[in-house]
Amino acid sequence: MDAHETTAKYNIAETCSSSVSIQDLRAISGDTTTDLAEVLFQRKLTYGPIPGSEELRSNVANLYADAQSSALHLDQVLISSGAISANFLVLYSLVGKGDHVICHYPTYQQLYSIPASSGAEVSLWKANPEKGWAVDIEELKRLIKPNTKLIIINNPQNPTGAVLSRSQLADIVEVASKQNITVFADEVYRPLFHSLSPAGSEIPPSILSMGYPNTVATGSLSKAYSLAGVRVGWIASRNPDIIKACATARGYTTISVSQLDDRIATWTLSKPVVEKLLERNLRLARTNLAILEEFMNRHTDCCEWVKPVAGTTGFVRFHKNGKPVNGVQFCETLQDRKGVMLCPGAHCFGEEFQGYVRIGYVSETEVLQEGLKELDAFLKDDFQTLF
């Protein structure tokens, strides 16, 4: 991503919902009462509260209140510099040499590489593309060992856009609780459940709402909330020992997050700002997914997918006469000739994903449309001769 995104004309590999400015966010939310000068300019820039301001932690805690469970307490939330820092702190704090972890796969590499770098043994719990990226609970049971310390899930899942349903989460918790195993959920794409019925019984709650105390979740402002440039993420758990361990580890890496970021994040996650922003991003995801689906329907001869139901990304397999293309060559040639950036699956998510590319479709609609237009032309003009 670092090597190619600065030169891409149409970046449709991006995983964030279309980014907004503070001015954009004010217009989206309709909030004209908050004094943004006070938010941004009038507070002294000390380190601030080390775990995060009370206002920010309160707003994050409210994200986890639902019909099944109450909001978290302030001391059950720890603010971090983005979800990447939150994930690192959880993994660094809970896993070490001699431990065994099980990781939902494919997923963001950090989630399985950090435990491996700490000396832990890692087993990949593989989702099946032929079954809609479903996972097998019986396989999870077989993967458990006497030293299994952690089950790691990514819900919604990057890069597939699939979800672990409420019933699947219940099964995971049941398996984990029998062995006193902690369940860690990277929920950074939550709550963009754009293609699931809001009234459906299978919309997954947070792992923190499943009635099992040995759970921990991470999130951030980057994916669902369009503010990757505000480097704020969080760790949340109903188990005080988990938060305490992460806070101790955090002292070796970050004193506190930027106080400007803390203030902007507090305002973003307040009502009605957060509600209006999510409405905008859900609407954008539905609009753009329909555009991407139309593209997919036009090219069934050379590409296939499992349509994503949540999040911001889809995992598309390009093939010629059934044989997967070289994903890196495909993506590099496409960008060189058409300026369109995609993310090669085998290079970024595992060698078994030959031919797969990740497409981020919750960009500005015009960017997606123009990018797919150029991809159309590439498939027509270059695909048959090059691949």
Side-chain angles (χ1 to χ4, degrees), residues 123-194:
S123 296
L124 300 178
W125 185 29
K126 297 185 178 182
N128 188 342
E130 296 180 0
K131 296 182 179 180
W133 297 110
V135 291
D136 183 346
I137 295 297
E138 294 304 314
E139 181 186 356
L140 174 63
K141 294 177 182 178
R142 292 191 294 270
L143 290 173
I144 289 176
K145 299 182 178 184
N147 60 334
T148 301
K149 189 77 172 290
L150 201 62
I151 296 172
I152 304 166
I153 60 176
N154 181 203
N155 200 32
Q157 186 185 36
N158 170 20
T160 69
V163 299
L164 296 167
S165 67
R166 180 188 296 270
S167 60
Q168 288 172 319
L169 291 178
D171 289 339
I172 293 168
V173 163
E174 181 180 6
V175 170
S177 62
K178 289 179 179 179
Q179 306 289 335
N180 199 33
I181 298 168
T182 299
V183 182
F184 164 35
D186 178 337
E187 297 179 344
V188 73
Y189 293 93
R190 177 181 175 81
L192 289 182
F193 301 116
H194 48 71

Coordinates of all heavy atoms in Angstrom, one line a residue, residues 123-194:
S123 N -2.2 -21.1 15.0 CA -3.0 -21.9 14.1 C -4.0 -21.0 13.4 O -4.7 -20.2 14.1 CB -3.7 -23.0 14.9 OG -2.8 -23.9 15.5
L124 N -4.1 -21.2 12.1 CA -5.0 -20.4 11.3 C -6.4 -21.1 11.2 O -6.4 -22.2 10.7 CB -4.5 -20.1 9.9 CG -3.1 -19.3 9.9 CD1 -2.6 -19.1 8.5 CD2 -3.3 -18.0 10.6
W125 N -7.4 -20.4 11.6 CA -8.8 -20.9 11.5 C -9.4 -20.4 10.2 O -9.8 -19.2 10.1 CB -9.6 -20.5 12.7 CG -11.0 -21.1 12.8 CD1 -11.4 -22.3 12.2 CD2 -12.1 -20.5 13.4 NE1 -12.8 -22.4 12.5 CE2 -13.2 -21.3 13.2 CE3 -12.3 -19.3 14.1 CZ2 -14.5 -21.1 13.8 CZ3 -13.5 -19.0 14.6 CH2 -14.6 -19.9 14.5
K126 N -9.3 -21.2 9.1 CA -9.6 -20.7 7.8 C -11.0 -20.6 7.4 O -11.7 -21.6 7.5 CB -8.8 -21.5 6.8 CG -7.3 -21.4 7.0 CD -6.5 -22.2 5.9 CE -5.0 -22.0 6.1 NZ -4.2 -22.7 5.1
A127 N -11.5 -19.5 6.9 CA -12.8 -19.3 6.4 C -12.8 -19.9 5.0 O -11.8 -19.9 4.3 CB -13.2 -17.8 6.3
N128 N -13.9 -20.5 4.6 CA -14.0 -21.2 3.3 C -14.7 -20.4 2.3 O -15.9 -20.1 2.4 CB -14.8 -22.5 3.5 CG -14.8 -23.4 2.3 OD1 -14.5 -23.0 1.2 ND2 -15.1 -24.7 2.6
P129 N -14.0 -20.0 1.2 CA -14.7 -19.1 0.2 C -15.8 -19.9 -0.6 O -16.7 -19.2 -1.1 CB -13.5 -18.8 -0.8 CG -12.5 -19.8 -0.6 CD -12.6 -20.2 0.9
E130 N -15.7 -21.2 -0.7 CA -16.7 -22.0 -1.4 C -18.0 -22.1 -0.5 O -19.0 -22.5 -1.1 CB -16.2 -23.4 -1.7 CG -15.0 -23.3 -2.7 CD -14.5 -24.7 -3.0 OE1 -15.0 -25.7 -2.4 OE2 -13.5 -24.8 -3.8
K131 N -17.9 -21.7 0.7 CA -19.1 -21.7 1.6 C -19.4 -20.2 2.1 O -19.8 -20.1 3.2 CB -18.9 -22.6 2.7 CG -18.8 -24.1 2.3 CD -18.7 -25.0 3.5 CE -18.6 -26.5 3.0 NZ -18.5 -27.4 4.2
G132 N -19.1 -19.3 1.2 CA -19.4 -17.9 1.6 C -18.5 -17.3 2.7 O -18.9 -16.5 3.5
W133 N -17.2 -17.8 2.7 CA -16.3 -17.4 3.8 C -16.8 -17.8 5.2 O -16.5 -17.1 6.2 CB -15.9 -15.9 3.7 CG -15.3 -15.5 2.4 CD1 -15.8 -14.8 1.4 CD2 -14.0 -15.9 2.0 NE1 -14.9 -14.6 0.4 CE2 -13.8 -15.3 0.7 CE3 -12.9 -16.6 2.5 CZ2 -12.6 -15.4 0.0 CZ3 -11.7 -16.8 1.8 CH2 -11.6 -16.2 0.6
A134 N -17.5 -18.9 5.2 CA -17.9 -19.4 6.5 C -16.8 -20.1 7.2 O -15.8 -20.6 6.6 CB -19.1 -20.4 6.3
V135 N -16.9 -20.2 8.6 CA -16.0 -20.9 9.4 C -16.7 -22.2 10.0 O -17.9 -22.2 10.0 CB -15.4 -20.1 10.5 CG1 -14.5 -19.0 10.0 CG2 -16.5 -19.5 11.4
D136 N -15.9 -23.2 10.3 CA -16.4 -24.4 10.9 C -16.0 -24.5 12.4 O -14.9 -24.5 12.8 CB -15.7 -25.6 10.1 CG -16.2 -26.9 10.5 OD1 -16.9 -27.0 11.6 OD2 -15.9 -27.9 9.8
I137 N -17.1 -24.5 13.2 CA -16.9 -24.5 14.6 C -16.2 -25.8 15.1 O -15.4 -25.8 16.0 CB -18.2 -24.3 15.4 CG1 -18.8 -22.9 15.1 CG2 -18.1 -24.5 16.9 CD1 -17.9 -21.7 15.6
E138 N -16.5 -26.9 14.4 CA -15.9 -28.1 14.8 C -14.4 -28.1 14.5 O -13.6 -28.7 15.3 CB -16.5 -29.3 14.0 CG -18.0 -29.6 14.3 CD -18.2 -29.8 15.8 OE1 -17.4 -30.6 16.4 OE2 -19.1 -29.2 16.4
E139 N -14.0 -27.4 13.5 CA -12.6 -27.2 13.2 C -11.9 -26.4 14.3 O -10.8 -26.7 14.8 CB -12.3 -26.6 11.9 CG -10.9 -26.4 11.5 CD -10.6 -25.6 10.3 OE1 -11.6 -25.2 9.6 OE2 -9.4 -25.4 10.0
L140 N -12.6 -25.4 14.8 CA -12.1 -24.6 15.9 C -11.9 -25.5 17.1 O -10.8 -25.3 17.8 CB -13.1 -23.5 16.3 CG -12.8 -22.6 17.5 CD1 -11.5 -21.9 17.3 CD2 -13.9 -21.7 17.8
K141 N -12.8 -26.3 17.4 CA -12.6 -27.2 18.5 C -11.4 -28.1 18.4 O -10.6 -28.4 19.3 CB -13.9 -28.1 18.7 CG -15.1 -27.4 19.1 CD -16.3 -28.3 19.1 CE -17.6 -27.6 19.5 NZ -18.8 -28.5 19.5
R142 N -11.1 -28.6 17.1 CA -10.0 -29.4 16.9 C -8.7 -28.7 17.0 O -7.6 -29.3 17.3 CB -10.1 -30.1 15.5 CG -11.2 -31.1 15.3 CD -11.1 -31.9 14.1 NE -11.3 -31.0 12.9 CZ -12.5 -30.8 12.3 NH1 -13.6 -31.4 12.8 NH2 -12.6 -30.1 11.2
L143 N -8.7 -27.4 16.8 CA -7.5 -26.6 16.8 C -7.0 -26.3 18.2 O -5.9 -26.0 18.5 CB -7.7 -25.3 16.0 CG -7.8 -25.4 14.5 CD1 -8.1 -24.0 13.9 CD2 -6.5 -25.9 13.9
I144 N -7.9 -26.4 19.2 CA -7.6 -26.0 20.6 C -6.6 -27.0 21.2 O -6.7 -28.2 21.0 CB -8.9 -26.0 21.4 CG1 -9.7 -24.7 21.0 CG2 -8.5 -25.9 22.9 CD1 -11.0 -24.6 21.7
K145 N -5.6 -26.4 21.9 CA -4.6 -27.2 22.6 C -4.6 -26.9 24.0 O -5.2 -25.9 24.4 CB -3.2 -26.9 22.0 CG -3.1 -27.3 20.5 CD -1.7 -27.0 20.0 CE -1.6 -27.4 18.5 NZ -0.2 -27.2 18.0
P146 N -3.9 -27.7 24.9 CA -3.9 -27.4 26.3 C -3.3 -25.9 26.6 O -3.7 -25.4 27.6 CB -3.0 -28.4 26.9 CG -3.1 -29.6 25.9 CD -3.3 -29.0 24.6
N147 N -2.5 -25.4 25.7 CA -1.9 -24.1 26.0 C -2.5 -23.0 25.1 O -1.9 -21.9 25.0 CB -0.4 -24.2 25.7 CG 0.0 -24.5 24.3 OD1 -0.8 -25.2 23.6 ND2 1.2 -24.1 23.8
T148 N -3.7 -23.3 24.6 CA -4.3 -22.2 23.8 C -4.7 -21.1 24.7 O -5.5 -21.2 25.7 CB -5.6 -22.7 23.1 OG1 -5.2 -23.8 22.2 CG2 -6.2 -21.6 22.3
K149 N -4.2 -19.9 24.4 CA -4.4 -18.7 25.3 C -5.5 -17.7 24.7 O -6.1 -17.0 25.5 CB -3.1 -18.0 25.4 CG -3.0 -16.9 26.4 CD -2.9 -17.4 27.8 CE -2.7 -16.3 28.8 NZ -1.3 -15.8 28.7
L150 N -5.6 -17.7 23.4 CA -6.4 -16.7 22.7 C -7.0 -17.2 21.4 O -6.3 -17.9 20.7 CB -5.4 -15.5 22.4 CG -6.0 -14.1 22.2 CD1 -6.7 -13.6 23.5 CD2 -4.9 -13.1 21.8
I151 N -8.2 -16.8 21.2 CA -8.9 -17.0 19.9 C -9.1 -15.6 19.4 O -9.7 -14.7 20.0 CB -10.3 -17.7 20.1 CG1 -10.0 -19.1 20.6 CG2 -11.0 -17.7 18.7 CD1 -11.3 -19.9 21.0
I152 N -8.6 -15.3 18.2 CA -8.6 -14.0 17.6 C -9.6 -14.0 16.4 O -9.4 -14.9 15.5 CB -7.2 -13.6 17.1 CG1 -6.2 -13.7 18.2 CG2 -7.2 -12.2 16.4 CD1 -4.7 -13.6 17.7
I153 N -10.5 -13.1 16.4 CA -11.4 -13.0 15.3 C -11.4 -11.6 14.7 O -11.0 -10.6 15.4 CB -12.9 -13.4 15.7 CG1 -13.4 -12.6 16.8 CG2 -12.9 -14.9 16.0 CD1 -14.9 -12.9 17.2
N154 N -11.9 -11.4 13.5 CA -12.0 -10.1 12.8 C -13.4 -10.0 12.3 O -13.8 -10.7 11.4 CB -10.9 -10.0 11.7 CG -10.9 -8.7 11.0 OD1 -10.5 -8.7 9.8 ND2 -11.4 -7.7 11.6
N155 N -14.2 -9.1 12.9 CA -15.6 -9.2 12.6 C -16.2 -7.7 12.6 O -16.2 -7.1 13.6 CB -16.4 -10.0 13.7 CG -17.7 -10.4 13.2 OD1 -18.0 -10.7 12.1 ND2 -18.7 -10.6 14.2
P156 N -16.6 -7.2 11.4 CA -16.6 -7.8 10.0 C -15.1 -8.1 9.6 O -14.2 -7.5 10.1 CB -17.2 -6.8 9.1 CG -18.1 -6.0 10.1 CD -17.4 -6.0 11.4
Q157 N -15.0 -9.0 8.6 CA -13.7 -9.5 8.2 C -13.1 -8.7 7.1 O -13.7 -8.5 6.1 CB -13.8 -11.0 7.8 CG -12.5 -11.7 7.5 CD -12.7 -13.1 7.0 OE1 -13.7 -13.4 6.3 NE2 -11.8 -14.0 7.4
N158 N -11.8 -8.4 7.3 CA -11.0 -7.8 6.2 C -10.1 -9.0 5.7 O -9.5 -9.7 6.5 CB -10.0 -6.8 6.8 CG -8.9 -6.3 5.9 OD1 -9.0 -6.5 4.7 ND2 -7.9 -5.7 6.5
P159 N -10.2 -9.3 4.4 CA -10.6 -8.5 3.3 C -11.9 -8.9 2.7 O -12.4 -8.4 1.7 CB -9.5 -8.8 2.3 CG -9.2 -10.3 2.5 CD -9.3 -10.5 4.0
T160 N -12.6 -9.9 3.3 CA -13.8 -10.5 2.5 C -15.1 -9.8 2.7 O -16.0 -10.0 1.9 CB -14.0 -12.0 3.0 OG1 -14.5 -11.9 4.4 CG2 -12.7 -12.8 3.0
G161 N -15.2 -9.0 3.7 CA -16.5 -8.4 4.0 C -17.6 -9.3 4.6 O -18.8 -9.0 4.6
A162 N -17.1 -10.5 5.0 CA -18.0 -11.5 5.6 C -18.2 -11.2 7.1 O -17.3 -10.4 7.7 CB -17.5 -12.9 5.4
V163 N -19.2 -11.8 7.8 CA -19.3 -11.6 9.2 C -19.5 -12.9 9.9 O -19.9 -13.9 9.3 CB -20.6 -10.7 9.6 CG1 -20.4 -9.3 9.0 CG2 -21.9 -11.4 9.1
L164 N -19.1 -12.9 11.1 CA -19.4 -14.0 12.1 C -20.8 -13.6 12.7 O -20.9 -12.6 13.3 CB -18.4 -14.2 13.1 CG -17.0 -14.7 12.6 CD1 -15.9 -14.5 13.7 CD2 -17.0 -16.1 12.1
S165 N -21.8 -14.4 12.5 CA -23.1 -14.1 13.0 C -23.2 -14.2 14.5 O -22.3 -14.7 15.2 CB -24.1 -15.0 12.3 OG -24.0 -16.3 12.8
R166 N -24.4 -13.8 15.0 CA -24.6 -13.9 16.4 C -24.5 -15.3 16.9 O -23.9 -15.6 17.9 CB -26.0 -13.3 16.7 CG -26.4 -13.4 18.2 CD -27.9 -13.0 18.4 NE -28.2 -11.7 18.0 CZ -28.1 -10.6 18.8 NH1 -27.8 -10.8 20.0 NH2 -28.4 -9.4 18.3
S167 N -25.1 -16.3 16.2 CA -25.0 -17.7 16.6 C -23.6 -18.2 16.5 O -23.2 -19.0 17.4 CB -26.0 -18.5 15.7 OG -25.6 -18.5 14.4
Q168 N -22.8 -17.8 15.5 CA -21.5 -18.2 15.5 C -20.6 -17.6 16.6 O -19.8 -18.3 17.2 CB -20.8 -17.8 14.1 CG -21.4 -18.6 13.0 CD -20.9 -18.1 11.6 OE1 -20.9 -16.9 11.4 NE2 -20.6 -19.0 10.7
L169 N -20.9 -16.4 17.0 CA -20.2 -15.8 18.1 C -20.6 -16.6 19.4 O -19.7 -16.8 20.3 CB -20.6 -14.3 18.3 CG -20.0 -13.4 17.2 CD1 -20.5 -12.0 17.5 CD2 -18.5 -13.4 17.1
A170 N -21.8 -17.0 19.5 CA -22.2 -17.7 20.7 C -21.5 -19.1 20.7 O -21.1 -19.5 21.8 CB -23.7 -18.0 20.7
D171 N -21.3 -19.7 19.6 CA -20.6 -21.0 19.5 C -19.1 -20.8 19.9 O -18.5 -21.6 20.6 CB -20.7 -21.6 18.1 CG -22.0 -22.1 17.8 OD1 -22.8 -22.4 18.7 OD2 -22.3 -22.2 16.6
I172 N -18.5 -19.7 19.4 CA -17.1 -19.4 19.8 C -17.0 -19.2 21.3 O -16.0 -19.7 21.9 CB -16.6 -18.2 19.0 CG1 -16.6 -18.5 17.5 CG2 -15.3 -17.7 19.5 CD1 -16.4 -17.3 16.6
V173 N -17.9 -18.4 21.8 CA -17.8 -18.1 23.3 C -18.0 -19.4 24.1 O -17.3 -19.7 25.1 CB -18.9 -17.1 23.6 CG1 -19.1 -17.1 25.1 CG2 -18.4 -15.7 23.2
E174 N -18.9 -20.3 23.6 CA -19.1 -21.5 24.3 C -17.9 -22.4 24.3 O -17.5 -22.9 25.4 CB -20.3 -22.3 23.7 CG -20.6 -23.6 24.4 CD -21.7 -24.4 23.7 OE1 -22.2 -24.0 22.7 OE2 -22.1 -25.5 24.3
V175 N -17.2 -22.5 23.2 CA -16.0 -23.2 23.1 C -14.9 -22.6 24.0 O -14.2 -23.3 24.7 CB -15.5 -23.3 21.6 CG1 -14.1 -23.8 21.5 CG2 -16.4 -24.1 20.7
A176 N -14.8 -21.3 23.9 CA -13.7 -20.6 24.7 C -13.9 -20.7 26.2 O -13.0 -20.9 27.0 CB -13.6 -19.2 24.3
S177 N -15.2 -20.6 26.6 CA -15.5 -20.6 28.0 C -15.2 -21.9 28.7 O -14.8 -21.9 29.9 CB -16.9 -20.2 28.3 OG -17.8 -21.1 27.7
K178 N -15.3 -23.0 28.0 CA -15.0 -24.3 28.5 C -13.6 -24.5 28.9 O -13.2 -25.3 29.8 CB -15.5 -25.4 27.6 CG -17.0 -25.5 27.4 CD -17.4 -26.6 26.4 CE -18.9 -26.7 26.3 NZ -19.3 -27.7 25.3
Q179 N -12.7 -23.7 28.2 CA -11.3 -23.9 28.4 C -10.7 -22.6 29.0 O -9.5 -22.5 29.1 CB -10.6 -24.1 27.1 CG -11.1 -25.3 26.3 CD -10.7 -26.6 27.0 OE1 -9.8 -26.7 27.7 NE2 -11.5 -27.7 26.7
N180 N -11.6 -21.6 29.4 CA -11.1 -20.3 30.0 C -10.2 -19.6 29.0 O -9.2 -19.0 29.4 CB -10.5 -20.5 31.3 CG -10.4 -19.2 32.1 OD1 -11.3 -18.4 32.0 ND2 -9.4 -19.1 32.9
I181 N -10.5 -19.7 27.7 CA -9.7 -19.0 26.7 C -10.2 -17.6 26.4 O -11.5 -17.4 26.3 CB -9.7 -19.8 25.4 CG1 -9.1 -21.2 25.6 CG2 -8.9 -19.1 24.3 CD1 -9.3 -22.2 24.5
T182 N -9.4 -16.6 26.3 CA -9.8 -15.3 26.0 C -10.2 -15.2 24.5 O -9.4 -15.7 23.7 CB -8.8 -14.2 26.4 OG1 -8.5 -14.3 27.8 CG2 -9.2 -12.8 26.0
V183 N -11.2 -14.4 24.2 CA -11.6 -14.2 22.8 C -11.3 -12.7 22.5 O -11.8 -11.8 23.2 CB -13.1 -14.5 22.5 CG1 -13.4 -14.2 21.0 CG2 -13.4 -15.9 22.9
F184 N -10.5 -12.5 21.5 CA -10.1 -11.1 21.1 C -10.7 -10.8 19.7 O -10.4 -11.5 18.8 CB -8.6 -11.0 21.1 CG -8.1 -9.8 20.3 CD1 -8.7 -8.6 20.3 CD2 -6.9 -9.8 19.6 CE1 -8.3 -7.4 19.7 CE2 -6.4 -8.8 18.9 CZ -7.1 -7.6 18.9
A185 N -11.5 -9.8 19.6 CA -12.2 -9.4 18.4 C -11.7 -8.1 17.9 O -11.9 -7.0 18.6 CB -13.7 -9.4 18.5
D186 N -11.1 -8.0 16.7 CA -10.8 -6.8 16.0 C -12.1 -6.4 15.3 O -12.5 -7.0 14.4 CB -9.7 -7.0 15.0 CG -9.4 -5.8 14.2 OD1 -10.2 -4.9 14.1 OD2 -8.3 -5.7 13.6
E187 N -12.8 -5.4 15.9 CA -14.1 -4.9 15.4 C -14.0 -3.6 14.7 O -14.9 -2.8 14.7 CB -15.1 -4.9 16.5 CG -15.3 -6.3 17.1 CD -16.3 -6.2 18.3 OE1 -16.6 -5.1 18.9 OE2 -16.8 -7.3 18.7
V188 N -12.9 -3.3 14.0 CA -12.6 -2.0 13.5 C -13.6 -1.6 12.3 O -13.9 -0.5 12.1 CB -11.2 -1.9 13.0 CG1 -10.9 -2.7 11.7 CG2 -10.7 -0.5 12.8
Y189 N -14.2 -2.6 11.7 CA -15.2 -2.3 10.6 C -16.6 -2.3 11.1 O -17.6 -2.1 10.4 CB -15.1 -3.4 9.5 CG -13.8 -3.2 8.7 CD1 -12.7 -4.0 9.1 CD2 -13.6 -2.3 7.7 CE1 -11.5 -3.9 8.4 CE2 -12.4 -2.2 7.0 CZ -11.3 -3.0 7.4 OH -10.1 -2.8 6.7
R190 N -16.8 -2.6 12.4 CA -18.1 -2.5 13.0 C -18.5 -1.0 13.2 O -17.6 -0.2 13.5 CB -18.0 -3.2 14.4 CG -19.3 -3.1 15.2 CD -19.1 -3.8 16.5 NE -20.3 -3.6 17.3 CZ -21.5 -4.4 17.1 NH1 -21.5 -5.3 16.3 NH2 -22.5 -4.1 17.8
P191 N -19.7 -0.5 13.0 CA -20.9 -1.3 12.7 C -21.5 -1.1 11.3 O -22.7 -0.9 11.1 CB -21.9 -0.7 13.7 CG -21.5 0.8 13.7 CD -20.1 0.8 13.4
L192 N -20.6 -1.3 10.3 CA -21.0 -1.1 8.9 C -21.6 -2.4 8.4 O -21.1 -3.0 7.5 CB -19.8 -0.7 8.0 CG -19.3 0.7 8.2 CD1 -18.1 1.0 7.3 CD2 -20.4 1.8 8.0
F193 N -22.8 -2.8 8.9 CA -23.5 -3.9 8.5 C -24.5 -3.5 7.4 O -25.7 -3.6 7.6 CB -24.2 -4.6 9.6 CG -23.3 -5.0 10.7 CD1 -23.4 -4.5 12.0 CD2 -22.3 -6.0 10.5 CE1 -22.5 -4.8 13.0 CE2 -21.4 -6.4 11.5 CZ -21.5 -5.8 12.8
H194 N -24.0 -3.1 6.3 CA -24.8 -2.4 5.3 C -25.7 -3.3 4.5 O -26.7 -2.9 3.9 CB -23.9 -1.7 4.3 CG -22.8 -2.5 3.8 ND1 -22.9 -3.5 2.9 CD2 -21.4 -2.4 4.0 CE1 -21.7 -4.0 2.6 NE2 -20.8 -3.4 3.3

